[in-house]
């Protein structure tokens, strides 16, 4: 299975009644991209808000970014 941090993010989503939106992209989750140059936190989350792309942050696991 995934890393402990990724498992914790999945458990948190489940506890809050959330579903992490899967995608067929490299990260496996919607709105999450992989940035190979960011070694410590390679997963970046972005969403569209008011017609503009908003940066949410960079995370260690894809599951954390999706949450």
């Amino acid at each position: 299975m995934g890393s402990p941090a990724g498992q914790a993010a999945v458990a948190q989503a489940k506890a809050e009644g959330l579903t992490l939106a899967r995608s067929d992209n490299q990260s496996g989750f919607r709105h999450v991209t992989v940035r190979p140059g960011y070694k410590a936190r390679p997963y970046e989350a972005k969403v569209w808000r008011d017609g503009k792309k908003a940066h949410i942050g960079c995370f260690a696991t894809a599951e954390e970014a999706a949450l």
Side-chain angles (χ1 to χ4, degrees):
M1 199 159 193
S3 71
Q7 291 173 3
V10 170
Q12 182 180 348
K14 185 175 181 181
E16 294 180 17
L18 302 173
T19 302
L20 303 181
R22 289 285 186 177
S23 176
D24 62 354
N25 66 14
Q26 189 178 5
S27 73
F29 294 97
R30 190 172 179 205
H31 301 296
V32 177
T33 57
V34 180
R35 306 292 293 238
Y38 296 16
K39 297 296 181 190
R41 296 181 183 166
Y43 299 95
E44 182 177 29
K46 290 185 178 181
V47 296
W48 285 94
R49 182 175 214 158
D50 297 328
K52 297 179 184 176
K53 196 172 265 192
H55 175 79
I56 303 299
C58 293
F59 302 87
T61 69
E63 294 86 357
E64 289 174 310
L67 181 61

